[in-house]
Amino acid sequence: MKYKHLFFDLDHTLWDFDTNAKQTLQDLYETLALEKKGVHDFEQFYRRYLEHNAKLWARYRNGFIKQAELRVKRMQLALLDFKIGDAPLAQQMSQRFLELLPTRNALFPYAAEILEYLTGKNYQLHLITNGFEEIQHHKINNSGIHHYFDKVVTSEGSNSLKPNKAIFDYALDAAGAKKEESIMLGDDLEADIMGAANAGLDQVYINHINKTPDFKPTYTVYSLKELEAIF
């Protein structure tokens, strides 16, 4: 068995962030009566949120903004697209979103089954995630997959972010793992795959959305079920 340690990403890889975020924002849309405040179309609001969130996360990964700014600004900017300049409302939405989101438990198809399969084959499973410490632990607890992972390394806990080499080195050290017996599995070509490659790790690109990459990973799969052909 070439690999002993399998390092998974969480959001968009195992935990279905888009489904869980959309359900959470739909709840906020209704409970905070955003339609009456001027947000006339939830689907449009959700699309704008996703666009702002992606751009702000890129800025956060590159060290241009702090997490507190990311959390509130994605709500502020989405509201401003509807000409709503309400800072207290954005702050309230941010707080409620962070409270509710980790309670969601939607996983990608076959996520729990593949973790059970890999554990049964005596692989040691770990997480490397750019998410926030408390929130990520709530996610894996509430979705019933926490017991599969030996080490959970977050950007907050490691004081680094994927794709930086430092977070991969931190995770390897925490797991007591060697590079040659370890592999990274994730959906983000830059953060997970290229980051792991630069850190000297093999990679599995979990390409849920059938994207054409401009970088050749060690392996590519299009569903979690396909991991059984590798491990």
Side-chain angles (χ1 to χ4, degrees):
M1 189 166 72
K2 180 179 179 181
Y3 303 109
K4 294 180 181 179
H5 296 271
L6 277 54
F7 292 88
F8 277 89
D9 171 56
L10 181 61
D11 295 335
H12 305 285
T13 296
L14 297 169
W15 197 80
D16 190 344
F17 183 92
D18 288 348
T19 293
N20 291 316
K22 188 172 186 179
Q23 289 175 346
T24 302
L25 286 170
Q26 181 78 59
D27 279 358
L28 293 180
Y29 183 79
E30 294 168 3
T31 58
L32 297 177
L34 294 186
E35 185 175 11
K36 293 180 180 178
K37 292 178 170 67
V39 183
H40 52 79
D41 185 328
F42 171 74
E43 291 294 334
Q44 185 180 350
F45 175 80
Y46 177 63
R47 288 193 296 272
R48 299 303 297 154
Y49 166 83
L50 289 180
E51 291 173 14
H52 291 304
N53 188 52
K55 291 176 183 177
L56 289 165
W57 264 100
R59 289 181 59 75
Y60 174 63
R61 280 200 303 266
N62 291 318
F64 294 122
I65 60 173
K66 301 295 185 182
Q67 64 171 255
E69 183 178 353
L70 182 157
R71 289 171 168 180
V72 176
K73 202 164 187 177
R74 57 191 176 185
M75 300 300 178
Q76 285 180 327
L77 293 174
L79 289 171
L80 282 172
D81 288 337
F82 291 85
K83 298 181 172 30
I84 302 170
D86 189 334
L89 176 61
Q91 185 67 50
Q92 184 183 16
M93 289 179 66
S94 174
Q95 182 178 340
R96 291 291 294 139
F97 183 78
L98 292 172
E99 290 170 354
L100 291 172
L101 181 64
T103 69
R104 305 293 183 184
N105 58 11
L107 299 170
F108 278 97
Y110 211 70
E113 291 86 348
I114 197 63
L115 295 174
E116 184 70 25
Y117 166 85
L118 294 169
T119 301
K121 297 196 75 174
N122 295 318
Y123 290 103
Q124 292 189 49
L125 309 184
H126 316 282
L127 283 172
I128 306 178
T129 167
N130 275 354
F132 309 118
E133 185 82 12
E134 184 179 0
I135 291 173
Q136 298 305 77
H137 280 281
H138 281 319
K139 287 177 183 176
I140 60 175
N141 285 328
N142 289 325
S143 55
I145 59 173
H146 63 283
H147 60 285
Y148 290 114
F149 300 105
D150 183 23
K151 299 297 179 183
V152 177
V153 174
T154 68
S155 55
E156 190 174 15
S158 65
N159 199 31
S160 186
L161 282 159
K162 296 179 291 185
N164 296 331
K165 183 176 181 291
I167 193 170
F168 295 100
D169 291 341
Y170 182 98
L172 289 168
D173 185 62
K178 299 176 182 178
K179 290 182 181 181
E180 59 270 19
E181 62 185 18
S182 304
I183 190 166
M184 179 71 201
L185 303 90
D187 73 291
D188 191 299
L189 199 63
E190 178 186 0
D192 299 319
I193 306 308
M194 296 174 69
N198 290 335
L201 295 173
D202 285 355
Q203 329 89 43
V204 180
Y205 179 34
I206 301 178
N207 192 356
H208 287 301
I209 59 175
N210 200 20
K211 184 177 180 180
T212 302
D214 53 8
F215 177 87
K216 185 169 176 56
T218 312
Y219 305 97
T220 298
V221 299
Y222 299 91
S223 70
L224 294 170
K225 172 73 172 173
E226 292 177 48
L227 292 175
E228 292 179 359
I230 301 173
F231 302 106

